[in-house]
């Protein structure tokens, strides 16, 4: 509690004690009124003052003013204890509300506690602490164990494991060493790191993320806008209703003035739409905060809301569902052992820097003896022909085999097939393909389970490769051999296929797919760590490379929406019930105060659940 | 020009909505959002008259919630 809240608490206590004491003092008439005005003034003096001040500014439908009219009215009709108590409970509610909002604000800012306070700049062998904003590109900074990495850069010296959980939600630390890139916001766990800064602070990952999350409050969900619009009409309508209730029955239907004024006052007590105005944005902000804790950055409440209705999810293949790196996935030797075939191919390709030869080298796990290789002939688009130990070795595709007069066996697997022949004899082939991400099948299954109608994969790759990956992952529809413009066309066509309020989600790695990302209802970019393009183009950014986070995002979205809806129904429901009961003469001031502040507090508590996302 | 301005002592959510609406009506303002939770005003307004517009926005806020201050 801050100073302001503590003082309020003191006033509430004093007023409450006075009010209880007054119950034991037998008084009547004017003297009783005077006595009850003491606790009233103690607890509600500032409200009266604010009401007068705001009225002078022309704020008729001001919460403070309406509360004053309600309580002064109650004094007028002789309900002295009620008048003082309503003001007391109103203040208790306000205090609790301000405390709860303060707590939520704090937990949100804790979530976003990735901003580094200082950087250790190394100059001429000396280290001094500076503001991260003062550090320039190319400077060397030192990050000690336990410290946050303040700026993006490249490790020049040292090795350590870093905790990226604040950015990615991934709890497993990542190992880094000399030459590796590190991003700001991660925590250095055990070793000392020297880092050459690669981006100024304003462009660092931390600044980008913070800006994105803060900006997200500006893009409001439809539900939030509805509440704001609703609030604009609610208060005037209820106050108007109160006026009619106070005046009409006594004038035209022989009602008692006192009775109907009391009923009208109940209306005034419930006239503030606070419960909704606070709790709905809080739910969305909490949802966005909870998502970002799990490495899912949502750029606005509107996108979080739309995610719940995902109907068609379109994936880019390379780099999204697959790792975009090539690896030996099968070895089919003839006559010799698997290892021999691999060694032979790697050795023949040892002078090449092609991704294929790199994956061959990786697969045979040892450095090839290059000295054994001579007479290297690279045949563009086909492969290589070399001499090893006096024998002619050819490594390449089917066309190369044809040239050698060798019959290369066809393979039932898809991918890039590398054939090997020695002195005109076929030795077998090696299959190299892009690896599917570990959690990709799970990601697709989870989407199906969430009721996503269809999953589609778009790829520029060969048809066979695309269909193979799609079949392995359980994807419904695949379109291969597409140019970037073709991807946009496909997305346009799919947009026409969705039903009613369903949404089309496109998931890409942010490279080359900016037009598609912006064309889709929701663009999700994967692997946002360090990639500016992805953060710029997408509506949702997954900070790590797990496509399974898409289902998580949809779950978070639906939960947030559920909480927001609960609040709308609960708050409006209680208010309308109490309004009706009040008009009919069945509700009293006490119930009205509960319907106002009690509901507010409960709605805020409910909304703060949106922050806490279950695993 | 776009700027985020911190609001101190913004204690009432309904007021935040009212402020937002009133600030949007100031001539030269392209867009404005008041977030009750982050206690921030995001103001996008005519660059040449930006300071003047911020002053007007401060006046509008003061009128709606007298305790609330803008810290540009």
């Amino acid at each position: 509690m801050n100073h302001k809240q503590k003082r309020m608490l003191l006033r509430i206590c004093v007023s409450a004690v006075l009010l209880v004491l007054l119950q034991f003092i037998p008084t009547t008439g004017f003297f009783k009124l005077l006595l009850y005005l003491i606790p009233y003034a103690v607890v509600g003096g500032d409200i009266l003052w604010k009401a007068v001040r705001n009225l002078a500014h022309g704020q008729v439908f001001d919460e403070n003013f309406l509360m004053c009219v309600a309580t002064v009215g109650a004094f007028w009709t002789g309900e002295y204890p009620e008048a003082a108590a309503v003001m007391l409970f109103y203040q208790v509610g306000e205090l609790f509300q301000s405390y709860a909002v303060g707590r939520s604000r704090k937990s949100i800012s804790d979530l976003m506690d990735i901003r580094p306070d200082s950087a250790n700049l190394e100059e001429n062998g000396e280290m001094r602490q500076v503001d991260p904003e003062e550090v320039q590109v190319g400077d060397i900074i030192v990050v000690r164990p336990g410290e946050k990495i303040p700026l993006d850069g490249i490790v020049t010296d040292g090795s350590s494991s870093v905790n990226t959980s604040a950015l990615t939600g991934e709890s497993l630390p990542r190992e880094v060493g000399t030459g590796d890139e590190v991003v700001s916001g991660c925590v250095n766990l055990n070793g000392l790191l020297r880092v050459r800064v690669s981006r100024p602070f304003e462009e660092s990952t931390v600044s980008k993320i913070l800006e994105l999350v803060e900006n997200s409050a500006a893009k409001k969900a439809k539900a939030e806008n509805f509440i704001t619009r609703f609030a604009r009409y609610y208060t005037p309508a209820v106050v108007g209703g109160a006026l009619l209730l106070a005046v009409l029955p006594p004038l035209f239907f022989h009602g008692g003035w006192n009775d109907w004024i009391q009923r009208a006052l109940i209306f005034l007590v419930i006239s503030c739409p606070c419960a909704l105005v606070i709790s709905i944005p809080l739910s969305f902000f909490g949802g966005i905060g909870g998502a970002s804790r799990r490495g899912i950055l949502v750029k606005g409440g509107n996108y979080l809301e739309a995610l719940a209705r995902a109907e068609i999810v379109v994936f880019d293949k390379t780099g999204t569902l697959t790792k975009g790196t090539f690896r030996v996935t099968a070895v089919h030797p003839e006559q010799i052992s698997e290892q021999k075939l691999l060694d032979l191919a790697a050795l023949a390709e040892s002078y090449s820097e092609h991704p294929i030869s790199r994956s061959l080298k990786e697969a045979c796990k040892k450095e090839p003896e290059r000295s054994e290789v001579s007479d290297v002939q690279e045949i563009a688009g086909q492969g290589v022909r070399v001499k090893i130990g006096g024998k002619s070795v050819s490594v390449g595709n089917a066309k190369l085999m044809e040239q050698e007069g060798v019959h290369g066996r066809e393979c039932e697997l898809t991918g890039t097939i590398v054939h090997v022949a020695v002195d005109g004899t076929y030795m077998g082939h090696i299959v190299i393909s892009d690896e599917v991400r570990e959690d990709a099948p799970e990601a697709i299954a989870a989407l199906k389970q969430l009721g996503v109608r269809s999953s589609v994969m778009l790829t520029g790759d060969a048809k066979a490769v695309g269909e193979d990956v799609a079949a392995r992952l359980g994807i419904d529809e695949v379109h291969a051999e597409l140019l970037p413009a073709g991807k946009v066309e496909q997305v346009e066509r799919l947009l026409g296929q969705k039903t009613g309020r369903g949404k089309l989600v496109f998931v890409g790695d942010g490279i080359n797919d900016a037009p598609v990302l912006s064309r889709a209802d929701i663009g999700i970019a994967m692997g946002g760590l360090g990639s500016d393009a992805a953060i710029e183009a997408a509506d949702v950014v997954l900070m790590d490379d797990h496509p399974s986070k898409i289902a998580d995002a949809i779950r978070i979205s639906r939960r947030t929406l559920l909480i927001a809806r609960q609040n709308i129904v609960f708050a409006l429901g209680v208010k309308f019930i109490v309004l009706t009961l009040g008009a009919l003469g069945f509700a009293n001031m006490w119930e009205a105060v509960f319907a106002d502040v009690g509901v507010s507090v409960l709605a805020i508590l409910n909304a703060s659940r949106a922050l806490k996302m279950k695993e | 020009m776009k700027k985020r301005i911190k609001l101190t002592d913004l204690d009432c959510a309904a007021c935040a909505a009212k402020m937002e609406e009133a600030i949007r009506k100031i001539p030269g303002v392209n867009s404005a959002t008041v977030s009750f939770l982050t206690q921030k005003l995001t103001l996008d307004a005519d660059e040449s008259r930006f300071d003047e517009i911020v002053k007007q926005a401060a006046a509008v806020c003061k009128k709606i919630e007298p305790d609330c201050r803008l810290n540009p």
Side-chain angles (χ1 to χ4, degrees):
Chain A
M1 263 194 219
N2 60 29
H3 181 66
K4 216 168 149 187
Q5 289 168 333
K6 276 185 192 145
R7 235 184 38 205
M8 191 66 234
L9 185 66
L10 183 70
R11 279 167 55 197
I12 286 171
C13 292
V14 170
S15 168
V17 169
L18 284 174
L19 204 57
V20 171
L21 286 180
L22 282 179
Q23 306 299 314
F24 301 103
I25 302 175
T27 50
T28 48
F30 184 66
F31 192 59
K32 185 175 177 186
L33 171 66
L34 274 185
L35 279 181
Y36 273 99
L37 277 175
I38 300 169
Y40 177 77
V42 166
V43 79
D46 58 329
I47 301 283
L48 279 170
W49 166 233
K50 274 188 202 164
V52 172
R53 206 169 42 169
N54 289 356
L55 199 60
H57 287 144
Q59 302 282 324
V60 187
F61 296 119
D62 169 72
E63 189 186 354
N64 301 301
F65 172 64
L66 296 171
M67 209 56 215
C68 289
V69 174
T71 46
V72 169
F75 273 118
W76 180 264
T77 58
E79 297 178 298
Y80 306 149
E82 279 83 355
V86 161
M87 189 54 98
L88 177 67
F89 278 97
Y90 173 72
Q91 290 284 45
V92 170
E94 288 290 298
L95 176 65
F96 199 80
Q97 197 170 297
S98 112
Y99 179 67
V101 167
R103 282 276 304 266
S104 305
R105 275 180 181 157
K106 193 179 168 325
S107 52
I108 288 166
S109 65
D110 284 353
L111 267 183
M112 291 292 106
D113 186 25
I114 51 174
R115 186 186 290 282
D117 304 317
S118 64
N120 305 314
L121 183 65
E122 197 177 57
E123 278 175 327
N124 313 324
E126 274 176 48
M127 197 170 80
R128 66 190 174 93
Q129 226 173 46
V130 296
D131 192 311
E133 292 184 30
E134 290 173 30
V135 182
Q136 285 169 10
V137 173
D139 283 350
I140 301 285
I141 52 169
V142 177
V143 188
R144 287 175 291 214
E147 287 181 341
K148 253 178 245 155
I149 298 173
L151 296 116
D152 299 356
I154 310 272
V155 178
T156 57
D157 187 20
S159 66
S160 173
S161 37
V162 294
N163 180 358
T164 63
S165 66
L167 302 181
T168 63
E170 173 70 57
S171 51
L172 224 59
R174 183 188 290 184
E175 300 298 323
V176 295
T178 308
D180 287 339
E181 197 184 342
V182 286
V183 289
S184 48
C186 302
V187 179
N188 180 15
L189 291 176
N190 40 39
L192 189 78
L193 291 175
R194 264 190 188 77
V195 176
R196 185 161 14 90
V197 174
S198 59
R199 275 187 217 145
F201 186 69
E202 312 84 72
E203 289 171 25
S204 68
T205 307
V206 153
S207 306
K208 286 241 168 73
I209 292 174
L210 284 174
E211 192 180 297
L212 200 149
V213 173
E214 287 196 342
N215 273 337
S216 70
K219 284 190 189 132
K220 291 182 181 171
K222 276 198 200 118
E224 288 178 79
N225 287 327
F226 163 73
I227 290 307
T228 322
R229 239 177 307 138
F230 174 82
R232 216 179 297 155
Y233 300 110
Y234 175 78
T235 308
V238 174
V239 173
L243 260 178
L244 294 180
L245 206 58
V247 177
L248 288 187
L251 279 185
F252 301 106
F253 306 101
H254 311 290
W257 280 102
N258 241 14
D259 175 33
W260 287 98
I261 287 177
Q262 279 176 12
R263 292 187 194 186
L265 296 178
I266 288 171
F267 267 49
L268 293 186
V269 175
I270 332 178
S271 65
C272 180
C274 301
L276 292 167
V277 178
I278 297 178
S279 70
I280 306 303
L282 184 61
S283 310
F284 280 98
F285 204 72
I288 291 174
S292 66
R293 164 160 262 180
R294 310 207 47 194
I296 304 164
L297 299 184
V298 185
K299 283 198 187 169
N302 50 346
Y303 304 121
L304 190 68
E305 194 178 39
L307 265 176
R309 289 212 197 85
E311 184 187 336
I312 302 175
V313 181
V314 184
F315 291 92
D316 180 40
K317 182 179 79 80
T318 311
T320 304
L321 290 172
T322 65
K323 289 182 181 165
T325 52
F326 289 89
R327 235 187 54 165
V328 171
T329 46
V331 184
H332 296 155
E334 312 228 327
Q335 302 169 31
I336 53 173
S337 74
E338 282 191 13
Q339 189 60 48
K340 268 260 171 60
L341 186 71
L342 265 177
D343 288 351
L344 204 58
L347 195 55
E349 291 264 7
S350 61
Y351 282 95
S352 167
E353 269 309 312
H354 195 266
I356 299 270
S357 53
R358 241 180 290 147
S359 50
L360 283 170
K361 258 176 257 174
E362 221 168 82
C364 74
K365 292 188 189 93
K366 61 179 180 195
E367 212 36 55
E369 288 286 333
R370 283 196 190 180
S371 54
E372 295 173 22
V373 185
S374 61
D375 298 344
V376 181
Q377 256 186 291
E378 288 216 36
I379 303 142
Q382 296 189 353
V384 290
R385 195 181 292 133
V386 299
K387 279 237 151 63
I388 300 174
K391 287 178 180 167
S392 164
V393 179
S394 323
V395 177
N397 59 14
K399 267 190 202 147
L400 183 72
M401 292 299 112
E402 247 170 65
Q403 277 202 358
E404 298 289 301
V406 176
H407 177 68
R409 194 172 297 248
E410 273 184 33
C411 188
E412 75 283 3
L413 295 176
T414 46
T416 308
I417 315 284
V418 180
H419 299 274
V420 182
V422 178
D423 281 340
T425 318
Y426 190 58
M427 288 293 162
H429 57 253
I430 296 162
V431 185
I432 293 170
S433 53
D434 193 359
E435 257 183 306
V436 166
R437 288 193 193 279
E438 285 91 6
D439 65 335
E442 178 199 325
I444 306 292
L447 288 178
K448 287 238 165 76
Q449 211 189 354
L450 286 171
V452 170
R453 187 163 61 88
S454 81
S455 51
V456 183
M457 189 175 86
L458 305 180
T459 177
D461 250 359
K463 205 165 177 203
V465 177
E467 280 174 357
D468 176 60
V469 172
R472 265 192 288 161
L473 297 181
I475 285 190
D476 304 322
E477 200 179 320
V478 53
H479 301 278
E481 292 167 25
L482 292 172
L483 296 172
K487 290 189 186 176
V488 178
E489 252 167 56
Q490 287 294 342
V491 166
E492 303 247 345
R493 187 182 60 79
L494 289 163
L495 276 168
Q497 277 183 10
K498 56 176 192 165
T499 54
R501 294 154 81 199
K503 301 285 176 201
L504 184 139
V505 181
F506 179 83
V507 193
D509 59 0
I511 304 165
N512 296 330
D513 41 21
V516 200
L517 279 173
S518 55
R519 189 68 194 82
D521 291 327
I522 307 161
I524 303 186
M526 298 236 320
L529 266 193
S531 155
D532 295 355
I535 294 187
E536 289 287 318
D539 306 319
V540 178
V541 180
L542 304 183
M543 295 307 286
D544 55 15
D545 299 331
H546 299 311
S548 55
K549 288 271 172 78
I550 299 159
D552 287 349
I554 294 177
R555 268 185 222 117
I556 290 173
S557 152
R558 290 194 181 158
R559 202 178 131 176
T560 306
L561 246 65
L562 177 71
I563 291 173
R565 262 188 226 126
Q566 284 169 350
N567 279 343
I568 293 178
V569 171
F570 172 65
L572 285 185
V574 171
K575 287 199 174 193
F576 279 119
I577 289 171
V578 176
L579 280 176
T580 317
L581 291 178
L584 297 175
F586 293 121
N588 56 29
M589 278 261 180
W590 301 92
E591 281 143 14
V593 167
F594 170 77
D596 187 57
V597 288
V599 167
S600 266
V601 168
L602 288 176
I604 291 170
L605 290 180
N606 190 31
S608 59
R609 287 195 310 136
L611 253 176
K612 298 185 185 74
M613 285 297 159
K614 287 191 296 264
E615 280 302 307
Chain B
M1 187 166 109
K2 205 169 180 175
K3 202 176 170 189
R4 254 199 310 275
I5 299 164
K6 186 141 181 55
L7 299 161
T8 9
D9 286 331
L10 174 61
D11 287 336
C12 139
C15 309
K18 280 186 208 160
M19 286 177 192
E20 182 176 292
E21 206 182 323
I23 293 172
R24 279 181 187 161
K25 284 188 186 144
I26 299 174
V29 173
N30 301 326
S31 78
T33 27
V34 176
S35 165
F36 174 65
L37 291 161
T38 51
Q39 294 175 291
K40 269 178 193 143
L41 159 69
T42 313
L43 184 65
D44 183 357
D46 192 349
E47 179 142 20
S48 55
R49 300 186 17 242
F50 199 82
D51 289 344
E52 192 195 325
I53 290 171
V54 170
K55 258 184 215 148
Q56 283 183 30
V60 164
C61 292
K62 206 173 171 62
K63 208 168 152 187
I64 294 166
E65 196 173 40
D67 294 337
C68 180
R69 282 190 318 276
L70 260 68
N71 312 11

